[in-house]
Amino acid sequence: MGRNITRRDFLDGVAVTVGALALGGLGGATGAHAAPGRGPGGGEPAPYPPALQGMRGYTSDAMVVPHKLRDGTFWQGAGQPRDTREQYDLVVVGGGISGLAAARFYQQEFGHNARILILDALDDFGGHARRNEYETTARTLVGYGGSQSLDTPSTFNSPARGMLDDLGIDVERFEKYFDSGFNSRYGLGRALFFDKESWGRDRFVAYQRGMKYADILKNAPMAEEAKADLARMYDAPEDWLPGMTDAQKKDRLADITYGTYLTEHVKAHPDAIKYLQTVSNGNWGYGIDAVGALDAAAEEYPGFDGLDLAMDDPDPRISPTGHKFWYAEDDYIYHFPEGNAGVARALVRKLIPDALPGHTMEQITTTRLRYDRLDRNGSRVRIRLSAPVVRVRHNDHPVRAKQVEVAYVQAGELHSVHAQHVVLACNNQMIPYLTDEISDEQRTALEYAGRLALVYTNVQIRNWTSFANLKISSIRYPTMYWNSASLDFPVSMGSYRFPDDPSQPMILHLSKAACQPGLSPRDQGKAGRRQLLATSFQEMERAIRDQLARALEPGGFDPARDIEGITVNRWAHGYAYEYARPWDPFWPDGELPSHTARRPWGHVAIANTDSAPRAYADSAIDMAYRAVRDLAGNPSDEVSRGVDGVLP
């Protein structure tokens, strides 16, 4: 653990500079990182964002300006923006999937000659749909640093389905790209790792699918009563709500959390609760103490089969995520090697064709993107990175105005552009800091939208023989810093081939939901953000090395020898907060905060997953469609019906 590993030294993902402080103290990226491609004045090439390692995502550098706006200090001495005299038909604030999709829908609605500018605070487009690349001596490895997969595409509304068709993404082709036989071919199962700090001793437990839980936990370092409780919950659940009708059971589950259900009704041993506490983290962003019991039942968490709940029609109180599970049984294989960054890259290819040449679905992954083509004079569509927006205001009262001014920071300087229309595709909670033109009611609704804090980390390893030796493809750590570690998805597209030989370099994916048990989901998100900002890359790296070494050492893993690169994608504002019982008693009836929050005004509309609210790629696209239709004065009834948990 004390030995060095060979890697470049990064601070928050970029080389250490003083430029941001030297340029008026406005923050944002320095010139070298403001327009990836060529350096300032056409000098040395600027960094290629997908290949940067260290701390990425919402880095400290990227969040300087947003945090100054939040703290009310940005405009102190900032002066007025310099008018670039750039005029656009549309300015999009936020270059994630929703912002990029809004630009494409705008072309379809208002004409392909529309002049469009997309501004984003980060140094790469895609938002949470982030591509990570690693160069090895033999090949390039591609991994996902955020938004993971196209989840249950059979449930997509027509805007999302139509957009995928427009982009040349045929979801059925993933059935060919995804190697469904990979695990069985190598005999790979799963593993649990119990750490001595939480359980008294370290214990690695490997198991195969289909094993009884009593056998899996036979040698686990937990109380025998807990093992028996978990075995019953997984293998032979009882009716722990006896004497209740189906309706009464659902009423009870809608009023309590999964943790309460396990404690009060299953009466599970504390060790069993501790073991299950983080089982929901990856899907929800918080633990079982905050996940509603009705949602846990819909998602088939352990302990509900014995209740024999009627599943013909979903209970309307189930969250949108729960509805996905209830409605569809899609395999979880709809995944580019870079995750949903493949969708973002396809959108960029459609908007700026020469930035990503090619026409096939495979070329979305295999073609190197030209960042120097994203923001060129004369282009109909421009994407300006490292450019956080600080103000959006009409040039007159919104009812009478003809244009909207958008002010932003780039390379430490304050600029402005003007547009006929604006789509705000940033987080809802950011919008009140950008405008004073909205009502108090809308401001409150926007602020209600919380985000859950997540970290998606990719680790480049020399080979994956340790996993092959142990016959596993993933590890769950119930009580350690990183919740899980797994081999990358076995996806091959065109000339990009998944490394299916254990001797080849591999990407490991580690994830963490930063949350604090004992709080409501929204408060867990706030606590998680504070936790992430207080944790350095070095601390995260040490936890990576520690957890991989302790679990994989029996398979021959040595972190000093085998780790060749680390990219920590920090998403302090990650999953959109999704309405759920028992925390949101207004759900699902009546006017939802998201409905109020997404109201357009003047020439401005809102598109993001907070508007749904559902943290899925199809939601991002649907909300972009709705926003553009709002600008056109032709709201979409279909999308209004097809989101907020009511799937077609």
Side-chain angles (χ1 to χ4, degrees):
M1 286 297 299
R3 286 181 286 162
N4 292 330
I5 61 174
T6 302
R7 64 176 178 83
R8 297 170 61 187
D9 291 324
F10 286 89
L11 176 63
D12 277 342
V14 296
V16 178
T17 67
V18 295
L21 295 178
L23 294 169
L26 293 180
T30 65
H33 306 101
R38 302 301 298 177
E44 291 300 314
Y48 173 63
L52 293 177
Q53 297 182 26
M55 191 75 81
R56 302 289 291 138
Y58 289 144
T59 64
S60 298
D61 188 57
M63 298 306 290
V64 167
V65 169
H67 284 169
K68 284 187 174 184
L69 286 171
R70 176 200 64 191
D71 297 337
T73 62
F74 175 82
W75 291 103
Q76 296 175 6
Q80 291 302 308
R82 181 183 67 84
D83 188 351
T84 65
R85 301 191 181 280
E86 295 177 34
Q87 299 280 338
Y88 295 94
D89 297 295
L90 172 70
V91 168
V92 180
V93 179
I97 288 178
S98 199
L100 295 169
R104 180 56 181 160
F105 283 128
Y106 192 89
Q107 287 182 328
Q108 295 171 345
E109 182 73 30
F110 291 92
H112 289 268
N113 290 327
R115 289 179 48 79
I116 300 172
L117 174 66
I118 300 168
L119 296 166
D120 197 278
L122 304 182
D123 66 355
D124 203 354
F125 64 85
H128 304 145
R130 179 64 66 96
R131 174 176 166 125
N132 294 162
E133 291 184 18
Y134 303 88
E135 291 294 336
T136 74
T137 56
R139 53 171 297 168
T140 299
L141 294 175
V142 176
Y144 65 101
S147 184
Q148 187 181 81
S149 300
L150 295 168
D151 197 328
T152 51
S154 67
T155 67
F156 285 9
N157 293 299
S158 60
R161 292 197 305 269
M163 178 59 72
L164 294 183
D165 290 342
D166 179 53
L167 299 177
I169 298 174
D170 179 357
V171 295
E172 292 183 358
R173 298 183 70 175
F174 286 109
E175 297 172 8
K176 172 185 176 183
Y177 301 145
F178 193 99
D179 185 356
S180 299
F182 171 73
N183 284 340
S184 60
R185 189 164 61 253
Y186 282 97
L188 303 181
R190 299 178 178 180
L192 303 166
F193 186 80
F194 298 88
D195 59 290
K196 61 185 177 183
E197 294 85 355
S198 303
W199 303 94
R201 64 182 186 277
D202 283 353
R203 175 70 70 178
F204 175 85
V205 177
Y207 65 97
Q208 295 289 328
R209 290 179 181 272
M211 287 180 61
K212 295 291 186 181
Y213 239 72
D215 296 327
I216 293 173
L217 299 177
K218 182 177 181 181
N219 296 316
M222 65 171 65
E224 293 300 319
E225 297 95 324
K227 296 179 186 180
D229 288 343
L230 288 167
R232 284 201 309 276
M233 281 188 272
Y234 276 94
D235 300 329
E238 304 170 11
D239 185 351
W240 282 295
L241 296 176
M244 293 187 183
T245 66
D246 183 76
Q248 289 171 333
K249 290 177 180 178
K250 290 175 181 175
D251 286 344
R252 177 58 179 159
L253 296 177
D255 289 338
I256 60 175
T257 67
Y258 182 33
T260 300
Y261 171 73
L262 295 179
T263 301
E264 295 186 1
H265 295 284
V266 178
K267 301 189 184 304
H269 188 277
D271 276 2
I273 302 294
K274 181 168 68 171
Y275 171 80
L276 290 172
Q277 172 61 32
T278 59
V279 74
S280 59
N281 281 22
N283 199 36
W284 285 92
Y286 44 83
I288 65 170
D289 62 313
V291 172
L294 189 60
D295 285 321
E299 295 192 39
E300 300 179 349
Y301 285 1
F304 294 99
D305 283 353
L307 272 60
D308 195 26
L309 297 175
M311 305 292 281
D312 295 338
D313 294 307
D315 189 294
R317 293 168 292 187
I318 295 172
S319 69
T321 287
H323 276 76
K324 267 188 174 287
F325 280 81
W326 207 304
Y327 267 104
E329 298 180 355
D330 299 22
D331 291 332
Y332 201 61
I333 62 171
Y334 304 99
H335 177 88
F336 285 92
E338 59 267 69
N340 287 332
V343 178
R345 286 164 64 86
L347 280 159
V348 170
R349 184 172 72 174
K350 183 66 69 171
L351 295 167
I352 311 174
D354 61 347
L356 189 68
H359 302 283
T360 69
M361 186 170 168
E362 292 84 357
Q363 288 171 314
I364 294 170
T365 290
T366 59
T367 304
R368 184 180 176 92
L369 194 135
R370 295 287 305 273
Y371 280 81
D372 60 328
R373 306 290 177 89
L374 295 182
D375 189 12
R376 291 187 302 167
N377 288 330
S379 295
R380 287 290 180 186
V381 179
R382 303 175 69 170
I383 300 175
R384 192 162 296 166
L385 301 173
S386 298
V389 169
V390 296
R391 187 172 68 197
V392 175
R393 68 180 183 185
H394 291 79
N395 63 358
D396 197 347
H397 187 281
V399 175
R400 299 186 298 270
K402 301 297 183 183
Q403 283 193 321
V404 184
E405 178 207 46
V406 179
Y408 65 96
V409 174
Q410 189 175 44
E413 296 183 355
L414 189 57
H415 307 277
S416 69
V417 297
H418 293 83
Q420 180 182 356
H421 292 125
V422 171
V423 168
L424 298 177
C426 51
N427 296 349
N428 267 9
Q429 288 187 321
M430 192 68 214
I431 294 173
Y433 299 107
L434 303 182
T435 182
D436 58 5
E437 298 177 340
I438 55 177
S439 67
D440 290 342
E441 180 189 26
Q442 185 168 9
R443 184 179 301 273
T444 299
L446 287 162
E447 291 170 347
Y448 188 78
R451 288 287 179 120
L452 289 310
L454 304 168
V455 189
Y456 273 14
T457 290
N458 285 314
V459 178
Q460 176 195 348
I461 57 175
R462 188 170 60 94
N463 57 57
W464 56 279
T465 55
S466 56
F467 282 81
N469 291 339
L470 294 169
K471 296 295 183 184
I472 61 168
S473 63
S474 65
I475 310 165
R476 179 177 173 243
Y477 298 93
T479 47
M480 298 188 77
Y481 184 83
W482 297 102
N483 302 140
S484 63
S486 61
L487 300 179
D488 198 12
F489 282 66
V491 179
S492 298
M493 294 181 64
S495 60
Y496 183 82
R497 312 310 297 171
F498 174 77
D500 64 353
D501 184 325
S503 67
Q504 296 176 331
M506 171 66 82
I507 293 175
L508 298 183
H509 185 77
L510 284 75
S511 65
K512 175 182 179 58
C515 53
Q516 184 175 322
L519 303 174
S520 69
R522 297 173 77 253
D523 287 338
Q524 290 205 26
K526 294 177 184 177
R529 283 192 289 279
R530 291 192 294 268
Q531 179 190 120
L532 287 187
L533 293 175
T535 305
S536 68
F537 172 78
Q538 289 73 21
E539 291 173 291
M540 292 185 184
E541 178 191 26
R542 182 166 182 83
I544 290 167
R545 297 171 67 183
D546 176 47
Q547 291 186 222
L548 293 180
R550 287 162 70 176
L552 297 173
E553 187 275 335
F557 186 84
D558 179 347
R561 180 194 65 210
D562 293 331
I563 295 177
E564 297 184 331
I566 298 175
T567 307
V568 174
N569 300 277
R570 183 175 70 182
W571 304 116
H573 301 267
Y575 287 163
Y577 174 71
E578 193 169 295
Y579 304 145
R581 303 293 291 269
W583 306 103
D584 300 306
F586 57 77
W587 171 258
D589 300 318
E591 181 81 356
L592 302 179
S594 58
H595 292 169
T596 302
R598 70 194 191 198
R599 292 174 184 166
W601 73 96
H603 297 259
V604 179
I606 296 175
N608 52 37
T609 54
D610 291 331
S611 297
R614 297 169 61 245
Y616 296 92
D618 59 303
S619 300
I621 296 171
D622 284 348
M623 292 298 97
Y625 178 78
R626 177 197 46 74
V628 171
R629 295 295 291 272
D630 283 344
L631 292 177
N634 187 19
S636 170
D637 290 337
E638 176 191 1
V639 171
S640 296
R641 291 196 312 269
V643 295
D644 304 325
V646 185
L647 300 173

